[in-house]
Amino acid sequence: MSDAAATLTQDRQRLELSALSAPAVIFTVAMIAFPVIYTVWLGFQSFSSTGKQSFVGLANYAKLVSDHEFWNGLWVTIALYVLSLALQLVLGVWLALVLFHAKRLPGIVRSLFISPFMMPPVVAGMMWIVILDPSLGAANYILQFLGLPPSEWLASPTWVIPTFALIDTWQWTPYVALIVLGGLQSLPPSVYEAAQIDGASAFKTFQRITLPLLLPTIVTAAILRSVDLLRFFDIIYITTQGGPGNASNTLNIYGFRVGFEFFNIGYASALMLTLTAIVFGAVLACNRLRGAVAW
Amino acid sequence: MNARMFAARVALPVLAVIAVSSEGRAADFDWKKFQGKTVTFLVNNNPVAQALLAYKADFEKQTGMTLKVDGYQEQQMRQRLVTVMNAHSDEVDVFMTLPSREGEQFAATGWYADLSAMAKNDAAKEYDPAGLSQALLKAATFGGKLTSMPMNIEGPIFYYRTDIFKKCGLEPPKTIKDVEAAAAKIKACDSSVTPFVSRGLKPAVAYTFSNMLHNIGGSYIAGGKSNLCSVKGKEALDTYSRLLRDFGPPGVVNYSFQQISALYRGGRAAMSFESSNELRTVMDGGARLKDTALIPFPAGEAGQVPTVIGWGMAVSSHSKQPDAAWYFVQWATSPAVQKKMALQGIAPPRPSVANDPEYRKWIDEEPVRKEWQAALDVLATKGSSEVGYPIVANPESREFIGQAVQDLILKQKTVDQACADADKALDALIAQK
């Protein structure tokens, strides 16, 4: 076969492949693009309580600036994010180290460690409602057994965010641990042998070798958890619906209520796009950090 | 013209005309007229819908139509409805609605088909639309249009433990002040129980608070402005929140019907102000059957003005087969079907069903059922359907009522601050057109 004929065959094969995959590609792009474009369009509309729709340009975004609930929601979202992420990363690394070094840990124990994140959020939410009930729940019973004063947990404006952070930490720390455990298992043994020959203590080895080498993995875990944490919804909706007062009214909860309970779809879209921008911002920042700590 | 005047002057005559003019057409009525059609019903999976859907096969047999059920929990059902209706889709023919909550709003958006015309043109002889609760029909009439037909009648009622009252030397409360005095005495007499429990969860508060406000003599709106900072409004806010703060369970700000019923059923509360619909849940297991009494919420300075609401069935304005959809609504709200539902504990919105011998026999089986029906009779005759502000943005208004009550329960504001903040936000809502 001449070169020209071979090129022609290759071009035809490429064309055929493109034609065959085009429907799937178009469908996938449309499924991703349409909701985004539609939400952006909705964000420029105003819907009155009677459902009348009008184009308002950037008015919904301008309204965000003076909306006290938006700033409260932003603060609540960030507080929950920072607290939960910090707890999950610290405990996740610790749990991964325990699992890595505890070679004789039975399989059932390892399975139990990772079971919380396999639980559906609705089930987890219902379970925690029962455990944290100030009158009937086991949590206050344990506190009283230990001689500590009872807490109102999810009913306290002060404690509701730390309590949600604890619930999320319980559920997702094992997930972080699994990611970190994968990173630990891929670290080169030669570095540890060299440290051992140099007489480095266990703490120094962790501080100077394990942690720096694990940082890219930890940042990857942070990215994955950031996306979820900034969109935290299910358990709050099931337990407090944003209360008490507005103490757990995250941007996601607030946007949902504005859209689906108060029917202001335009403003809700603006809220959700702002939240999406925040999520993108957090992911980009983490990505940059990952680039900086890569080895 | 207020709602009651409107009902007296417009809605009721409309129904009377419907009842008379439908007589002539009833003879030609044919349940099989839409045989072969499929009607889609968007359902809130609550006990009312469950009781109705137990007879789905009867409807399909009687009409030859197919009933497609699209069921969700209450809030998810509204989500689905908002999506469908905003898209002007004909996917849903009939949907469940709470006129007291979303009636004004859905009527203004044009989501309801006008049922008065359908009832006039196509009603079976035995349907008797005028036999339905006038209070509920009034609550479902907006701008002269009948937007839904009532499925049940319900409202908050007062459950109390007769054994604890006896032990503490208390008489059944006749006034709101008696409730507070009883709570104080129970707190001193039996520390193992919560003296009083009702709704504290922000969006749920308006349901029970409205009864308290109206009994005390308050109103939500006066002179076109929010009225929570009136003397009566402040008294209602203060009394409701004080009862929950001083005598309610810890964490009451997260309490809605599930937590309240669980606490009372478990024997951990002496008084509970909660929905009449919770009777079956509260009595589940039988522990409370012999030690509970039921009455409408005790009187305030304005007497007893109980809250009465009911789920309704509406035909979507985007349905391409509203006549077939109306047949389903008519069947579901007919005396025969409502009697079957009543025998399952769904309070009937028809006085004729409430007085039916078979239903009365069921009621007479347990003293607590008798008291429940007696309380519902008071709700039906004296009740107001005003739960939250009678404005288009009613669901949002409930948020601000709940916020004011929570601020007081949590001692985050004084009564003056809480009502002023609520009035400011509510005035803005009232001003929205």
Short mmCIF file of all heavy atoms in Angstrom, two decimals, chain A residues 49-51 133-136 152 154-155 157 237 240-241 244-246 256-257 260-263, chain B residues 75 79 82 105-106 108-109 202-203 250-251 253-255 268 392 395-396 399 403 406 412 432:
data_model
loop_
_atom_site.label_atom_id
_atom_site.label_comp_id
_atom_site.label_asym_id
_atom_site.label_seq_id
_atom_site.Cartn_x
_atom_site.Cartn_y
_atom_site.Cartn_z
N SER A 49 -43.24 36.31 43.55
CA SER A 49 -43.95 35.24 44.28
C SER A 49 -45.06 34.64 43.44
O SER A 49 -45.50 33.53 43.69
CB SER A 49 -44.53 35.80 45.57
OG SER A 49 -43.50 36.29 46.38
N THR A 50 -45.55 35.41 42.47
CA THR A 50 -46.64 34.88 41.64
C THR A 50 -46.10 34.21 40.39
O THR A 50 -46.86 33.86 39.49
CB THR A 50 -47.59 36.02 41.22
OG1 THR A 50 -46.82 37.01 40.54
CG2 THR A 50 -48.27 36.64 42.41
N GLY A 51 -44.77 34.05 40.32
CA GLY A 51 -44.19 33.30 39.22
C GLY A 51 -43.86 34.14 38.00
O GLY A 51 -43.38 33.63 37.00
N ASP A 133 -30.24 13.53 70.65
CA ASP A 133 -31.42 14.13 71.26
C ASP A 133 -31.10 14.51 72.70
O ASP A 133 -30.68 13.66 73.49
CB ASP A 133 -32.59 13.13 71.23
CG ASP A 133 -33.87 13.77 71.75
OD1 ASP A 133 -34.01 13.92 72.99
OD2 ASP A 133 -34.70 14.13 70.91
N PRO A 134 -31.30 15.79 73.06
CA PRO A 134 -30.89 16.21 74.41
C PRO A 134 -31.66 15.50 75.53
O PRO A 134 -31.14 15.37 76.62
CB PRO A 134 -31.20 17.72 74.41
CG PRO A 134 -31.24 18.11 72.98
CD PRO A 134 -31.78 16.92 72.24
N SER A 135 -32.90 15.05 75.23
CA SER A 135 -33.68 14.39 76.29
C SER A 135 -33.45 12.89 76.32
O SER A 135 -33.30 12.29 77.38
CB SER A 135 -35.17 14.61 76.06
OG SER A 135 -35.47 15.96 76.03
N LEU A 136 -33.46 12.28 75.14
CA LEU A 136 -33.48 10.81 75.09
C LEU A 136 -32.20 10.19 74.55
O LEU A 136 -32.04 8.98 74.57
CB LEU A 136 -34.66 10.35 74.20
CG LEU A 136 -36.03 10.95 74.50
CD1 LEU A 136 -37.00 10.67 73.36
CD2 LEU A 136 -36.58 10.37 75.79
N GLU A 152 -26.79 20.58 74.47
CA GLU A 152 -27.98 20.60 73.60
C GLU A 152 -27.60 20.27 72.16
O GLU A 152 -28.46 20.26 71.28
CB GLU A 152 -28.67 21.96 73.68
CG GLU A 152 -29.29 22.21 75.04
CD GLU A 152 -30.48 23.12 75.00
OE1 GLU A 152 -30.65 23.85 74.01
OE2 GLU A 152 -31.25 23.11 75.98
N LEU A 154 -27.27 19.76 68.62
CA LEU A 154 -27.80 20.41 67.42
C LEU A 154 -28.82 21.50 67.73
O LEU A 154 -29.23 22.24 66.84
CB LEU A 154 -28.43 19.37 66.49
CG LEU A 154 -27.47 18.32 65.92
CD1 LEU A 154 -28.25 17.20 65.23
CD2 LEU A 154 -26.47 18.93 64.96
N ALA A 155 -29.26 21.59 68.99
CA ALA A 155 -30.24 22.61 69.34
C ALA A 155 -29.58 23.86 69.90
O ALA A 155 -30.26 24.81 70.26
CB ALA A 155 -31.22 22.04 70.36
N PRO A 157 -27.21 27.13 69.29
CA PRO A 157 -26.59 27.93 68.23
C PRO A 157 -25.06 27.90 68.31
O PRO A 157 -24.37 28.01 67.30
CB PRO A 157 -27.12 29.34 68.49
CG PRO A 157 -28.33 29.17 69.33
CD PRO A 157 -28.12 27.92 70.13
N TYR A 237 -30.12 19.26 56.46
CA TYR A 237 -31.54 19.35 56.07
C TYR A 237 -32.39 18.38 56.89
O TYR A 237 -33.50 18.71 57.29
CB TYR A 237 -31.69 19.06 54.58
CG TYR A 237 -33.08 19.38 54.08
CD1 TYR A 237 -33.49 20.71 53.97
CD2 TYR A 237 -33.98 18.38 53.77
CE1 TYR A 237 -34.77 21.02 53.55
CE2 TYR A 237 -35.26 18.69 53.34
CZ TYR A 237 -35.65 20.00 53.23
OH TYR A 237 -36.92 20.31 52.83
N THR A 240 -31.59 19.85 61.30
CA THR A 240 -31.95 21.19 61.82
C THR A 240 -32.60 22.11 60.80
O THR A 240 -33.10 23.17 61.16
CB THR A 240 -30.69 21.92 62.33
OG1 THR A 240 -29.83 22.16 61.20
CG2 THR A 240 -29.95 21.14 63.38
N GLN A 241 -32.55 21.74 59.53
CA GLN A 241 -33.07 22.59 58.44
C GLN A 241 -32.49 24.00 58.49
O GLN A 241 -33.15 24.97 58.15
CB GLN A 241 -34.59 22.63 58.47
CG GLN A 241 -35.19 21.26 58.20
CD GLN A 241 -36.70 21.30 58.02
OE1 GLN A 241 -37.29 22.33 57.76
NE2 GLN A 241 -37.32 20.15 58.12
N PRO A 244 -30.56 25.93 64.88
CA PRO A 244 -31.54 26.85 65.45
C PRO A 244 -31.29 28.29 64.99
O PRO A 244 -30.13 28.67 64.83
CB PRO A 244 -31.32 26.73 66.96
CG PRO A 244 -29.97 26.13 67.12
CD PRO A 244 -29.67 25.35 65.90
N GLY A 245 -32.35 29.04 64.82
CA GLY A 245 -32.21 30.37 64.18
C GLY A 245 -31.66 30.14 62.79
O GLY A 245 -32.22 29.37 62.01
N ASN A 246 -30.52 30.77 62.51
CA ASN A 246 -29.85 30.55 61.23
C ASN A 246 -28.45 29.99 61.45
O ASN A 246 -27.58 30.12 60.60
CB ASN A 246 -29.76 31.86 60.44
CG ASN A 246 -31.13 32.33 60.02
OD1 ASN A 246 -31.98 31.52 59.67
ND2 ASN A 246 -31.36 33.62 60.10
N PHE A 256 -31.31 26.35 48.63
CA PHE A 256 -32.39 25.38 48.42
C PHE A 256 -33.73 25.97 48.88
O PHE A 256 -34.75 25.88 48.19
CB PHE A 256 -32.09 24.10 49.21
CG PHE A 256 -33.21 23.10 49.19
CD1 PHE A 256 -33.35 22.23 48.12
CD2 PHE A 256 -34.14 23.05 50.22
CE1 PHE A 256 -34.40 21.31 48.10
CE2 PHE A 256 -35.18 22.14 50.20
CZ PHE A 256 -35.30 21.27 49.13
N ARG A 257 -33.72 26.59 50.05
CA ARG A 257 -34.97 27.11 50.60
C ARG A 257 -35.47 28.29 49.77
O ARG A 257 -36.67 28.41 49.53
CB ARG A 257 -34.77 27.51 52.06
CG ARG A 257 -34.22 26.36 52.87
CD ARG A 257 -34.36 26.58 54.32
NE ARG A 257 -35.75 26.35 54.66
CZ ARG A 257 -36.25 26.58 55.86
NH1 ARG A 257 -35.46 27.04 56.79
NH2 ARG A 257 -37.50 26.34 56.11
N PHE A 260 -36.75 26.46 46.39
CA PHE A 260 -37.83 25.47 46.39
C PHE A 260 -38.90 25.69 47.45
O PHE A 260 -39.96 25.08 47.40
CB PHE A 260 -37.26 24.06 46.51
CG PHE A 260 -36.56 23.63 45.26
CD1 PHE A 260 -35.18 23.58 45.19
CD2 PHE A 260 -37.27 23.32 44.12
CE1 PHE A 260 -34.53 23.21 44.03
CE2 PHE A 260 -36.64 22.95 42.94
CZ PHE A 260 -35.26 22.89 42.90
N GLU A 261 -38.63 26.54 48.43
CA GLU A 261 -39.69 26.83 49.41
C GLU A 261 -40.27 28.22 49.20
O GLU A 261 -41.45 28.44 49.42
CB GLU A 261 -39.14 26.68 50.83
CG GLU A 261 -38.87 25.21 51.16
CD GLU A 261 -38.42 24.98 52.58
OE1 GLU A 261 -38.67 25.82 53.46
OE2 GLU A 261 -37.79 23.93 52.81
N PHE A 262 -39.40 29.17 48.77
CA PHE A 262 -39.91 30.53 48.56
C PHE A 262 -40.06 30.84 47.06
O PHE A 262 -40.44 31.94 46.69
CB PHE A 262 -38.97 31.56 49.21
CG PHE A 262 -38.62 31.23 50.64
CD1 PHE A 262 -37.39 31.60 51.18
CD2 PHE A 262 -39.52 30.56 51.45
CE1 PHE A 262 -37.06 31.28 52.48
CE2 PHE A 262 -39.19 30.24 52.76
CZ PHE A 262 -37.97 30.60 53.27
N PHE A 263 -39.70 29.87 46.22
CA PHE A 263 -39.91 29.94 44.76
C PHE A 263 -39.19 31.09 44.07
O PHE A 263 -39.62 31.54 43.01
CB PHE A 263 -41.41 29.99 44.43
CG PHE A 263 -42.19 28.85 44.99
CD1 PHE A 263 -43.48 29.02 45.44
CD2 PHE A 263 -41.63 27.59 45.07
CE1 PHE A 263 -44.20 27.95 45.98
CE2 PHE A 263 -42.33 26.51 45.59
CZ PHE A 263 -43.62 26.70 46.05
N GLN B 75 -41.84 17.88 51.24
CA GLN B 75 -41.04 18.93 50.63
C GLN B 75 -40.54 18.53 49.25
O GLN B 75 -40.47 19.35 48.32
CB GLN B 75 -39.86 19.28 51.56
CG GLN B 75 -39.17 20.58 51.19
CD GLN B 75 -40.14 21.72 50.94
OE1 GLN B 75 -41.09 21.93 51.68
NE2 GLN B 75 -39.93 22.46 49.85
N GLN B 79 -40.97 20.32 45.56
CA GLN B 79 -39.85 20.53 44.63
C GLN B 79 -40.24 20.06 43.23
O GLN B 79 -40.02 20.73 42.24
CB GLN B 79 -38.67 19.67 45.07
CG GLN B 79 -37.58 20.41 45.78
CD GLN B 79 -36.55 19.41 46.21
OE1 GLN B 79 -36.62 18.88 47.30
NE2 GLN B 79 -35.59 19.12 45.37
N VAL B 82 -42.86 22.36 41.66
CA VAL B 82 -42.28 23.63 41.17
C VAL B 82 -41.61 23.40 39.82
O VAL B 82 -41.78 24.18 38.87
CB VAL B 82 -41.26 24.18 42.20
CG1 VAL B 82 -40.49 25.36 41.62
CG2 VAL B 82 -41.96 24.60 43.47
N GLN B 105 -50.36 31.56 46.80
CA GLN B 105 -49.23 31.61 45.87
C GLN B 105 -49.54 30.84 44.58
O GLN B 105 -49.35 31.35 43.48
CB GLN B 105 -48.01 31.03 46.55
CG GLN B 105 -46.72 31.31 45.79
CD GLN B 105 -45.51 31.11 46.66
OE1 GLN B 105 -45.53 30.29 47.58
NE2 GLN B 105 -44.45 31.84 46.40
N PHE B 106 -50.02 29.61 44.75
CA PHE B 106 -50.28 28.79 43.56
C PHE B 106 -51.45 29.37 42.75
O PHE B 106 -51.47 29.26 41.53
CB PHE B 106 -50.60 27.34 43.96
CG PHE B 106 -49.41 26.55 44.45
CD1 PHE B 106 -48.19 27.15 44.65
CD2 PHE B 106 -49.53 25.19 44.71
CE1 PHE B 106 -47.09 26.44 45.11
CE2 PHE B 106 -48.43 24.45 45.16
CZ PHE B 106 -47.22 25.08 45.37
N ALA B 108 -52.11 32.56 42.56
CA ALA B 108 -51.58 33.73 41.84
C ALA B 108 -50.72 33.32 40.65
O ALA B 108 -50.68 34.03 39.63
CB ALA B 108 -50.76 34.58 42.82
N THR B 109 -50.02 32.20 40.78
CA THR B 109 -49.18 31.76 39.66
C THR B 109 -50.02 31.07 38.58
O THR B 109 -49.52 30.78 37.50
CB THR B 109 -48.10 30.75 40.12
OG1 THR B 109 -48.74 29.71 40.85
CG2 THR B 109 -47.05 31.39 40.98
N LYS B 202 -38.16 26.01 63.34
CA LYS B 202 -38.52 27.31 62.75
C LYS B 202 -39.66 27.25 61.72
O LYS B 202 -40.66 27.94 61.88
CB LYS B 202 -37.27 27.96 62.16
CG LYS B 202 -37.43 29.42 61.87
CD LYS B 202 -36.12 30.13 61.62
CE LYS B 202 -35.39 29.62 60.43
NZ LYS B 202 -34.21 30.43 60.08
N PRO B 203 -39.55 26.43 60.66
CA PRO B 203 -40.63 26.47 59.67
C PRO B 203 -41.93 25.85 60.16
O PRO B 203 -42.97 26.03 59.54
CB PRO B 203 -40.07 25.65 58.49
CG PRO B 203 -38.69 25.25 58.85
CD PRO B 203 -38.49 25.49 60.30
N PRO B 250 -35.34 19.91 76.48
CA PRO B 250 -34.12 20.52 75.95
C PRO B 250 -34.07 20.27 74.43
O PRO B 250 -34.49 19.22 73.96
CB PRO B 250 -32.99 19.76 76.64
CG PRO B 250 -33.62 18.96 77.72
CD PRO B 250 -35.06 18.82 77.42
N GLY B 251 -33.60 21.25 73.69
CA GLY B 251 -33.50 21.07 72.24
C GLY B 251 -34.82 21.25 71.51
O GLY B 251 -34.97 20.81 70.37
N VAL B 253 -36.05 23.62 70.04
CA VAL B 253 -35.98 24.40 68.79
C VAL B 253 -35.85 23.51 67.55
O VAL B 253 -36.02 23.98 66.44
CB VAL B 253 -34.81 25.42 68.80
CG1 VAL B 253 -35.11 26.58 69.72
CG2 VAL B 253 -33.51 24.75 69.15
N ASN B 254 -35.55 22.23 67.76
CA ASN B 254 -35.52 21.30 66.62
C ASN B 254 -36.74 20.38 66.61
O ASN B 254 -36.77 19.38 65.89
CB ASN B 254 -34.25 20.45 66.64
CG ASN B 254 -33.04 21.24 66.20
OD1 ASN B 254 -33.17 22.22 65.48
ND2 ASN B 254 -31.85 20.83 66.63
N TYR B 255 -37.75 20.69 67.42
CA TYR B 255 -38.90 19.79 67.54
C TYR B 255 -40.00 20.11 66.52
O TYR B 255 -40.48 21.23 66.43
CB TYR B 255 -39.50 19.88 68.95
CG TYR B 255 -38.91 18.88 69.92
CD1 TYR B 255 -37.54 18.80 70.10
CD2 TYR B 255 -39.71 18.01 70.65
CE1 TYR B 255 -36.99 17.88 70.98
CE2 TYR B 255 -39.17 17.10 71.54
CZ TYR B 255 -37.80 17.04 71.70
OH TYR B 255 -37.27 16.13 72.57
N ARG B 268 -43.00 10.64 78.17
CA ARG B 268 -42.04 11.63 78.70
C ARG B 268 -42.57 13.06 78.69
O ARG B 268 -41.83 13.99 78.99
CB ARG B 268 -40.74 11.56 77.90
CG ARG B 268 -40.06 10.19 77.87
CD ARG B 268 -39.30 9.90 79.15
NE ARG B 268 -38.21 10.82 79.37
CZ ARG B 268 -36.95 10.56 79.06
NH1 ARG B 268 -36.65 9.41 78.49
NH2 ARG B 268 -36.00 11.43 79.32
N VAL B 392 -49.29 36.07 49.52
CA VAL B 392 -48.75 35.15 48.52
C VAL B 392 -47.50 34.45 49.05
O VAL B 392 -47.31 33.25 48.87
CB VAL B 392 -48.46 35.90 47.21
CG1 VAL B 392 -47.67 35.04 46.25
CG2 VAL B 392 -49.77 36.35 46.56
N PRO B 395 -45.33 30.84 52.75
CA PRO B 395 -44.27 29.96 53.29
C PRO B 395 -43.10 30.73 53.87
O PRO B 395 -42.54 30.37 54.91
CB PRO B 395 -43.84 29.14 52.07
CG PRO B 395 -45.01 29.18 51.14
CD PRO B 395 -45.64 30.53 51.35
N GLU B 396 -42.74 31.84 53.21
CA GLU B 396 -41.62 32.64 53.71
C GLU B 396 -42.01 33.37 55.00
O GLU B 396 -41.18 33.55 55.90
CB GLU B 396 -41.19 33.65 52.63
CG GLU B 396 -39.76 34.10 52.79
CD GLU B 396 -39.25 34.84 51.57
OE1 GLU B 396 -39.93 34.85 50.53
OE2 GLU B 396 -38.15 35.40 51.67
N GLU B 399 -41.25 31.53 58.15
CA GLU B 399 -39.85 31.57 58.58
C GLU B 399 -39.64 32.66 59.64
O GLU B 399 -38.96 32.44 60.64
CB GLU B 399 -38.95 31.93 57.39
CG GLU B 399 -38.75 30.82 56.42
CD GLU B 399 -37.87 29.73 56.97
OE1 GLU B 399 -36.76 30.04 57.42
OE2 GLU B 399 -38.31 28.57 56.98
N GLN B 403 -38.60 32.36 63.40
CA GLN B 403 -37.36 33.01 63.84
C GLN B 403 -37.60 33.79 65.13
O GLN B 403 -36.81 33.71 66.08
CB GLN B 403 -36.86 33.95 62.74
CG GLN B 403 -35.55 34.67 63.07
CD GLN B 403 -34.37 33.72 63.07
OE1 GLN B 403 -34.08 33.09 62.06
NE2 GLN B 403 -33.69 33.61 64.18
N GLN B 406 -38.00 31.36 68.00
CA GLN B 406 -36.70 30.74 68.37
C GLN B 406 -35.80 31.75 69.09
O GLN B 406 -35.11 31.39 70.04
CB GLN B 406 -36.01 30.22 67.12
CG GLN B 406 -36.61 28.93 66.61
CD GLN B 406 -35.64 28.12 65.76
OE1 GLN B 406 -34.63 28.65 65.29
NE2 GLN B 406 -35.93 26.86 65.57
N GLN B 412 -32.14 35.03 72.77
CA GLN B 412 -31.21 35.84 71.99
C GLN B 412 -31.71 37.26 71.79
O GLN B 412 -30.95 38.15 71.41
CB GLN B 412 -30.96 35.17 70.64
CG GLN B 412 -30.18 33.86 70.79
CD GLN B 412 -29.81 33.23 69.47
OE1 GLN B 412 -30.59 33.29 68.52
NE2 GLN B 412 -28.65 32.62 69.41
N GLN B 432 -44.53 43.07 48.87
CA GLN B 432 -44.24 42.44 47.58
C GLN B 432 -45.52 42.17 46.81
O GLN B 432 -46.50 41.72 47.38
CB GLN B 432 -43.55 41.08 47.78
CG GLN B 432 -42.09 41.19 48.05
CD GLN B 432 -41.49 39.80 48.28
OE1 GLN B 432 -42.10 38.78 47.98
NE2 GLN B 432 -40.29 39.78 48.81
#
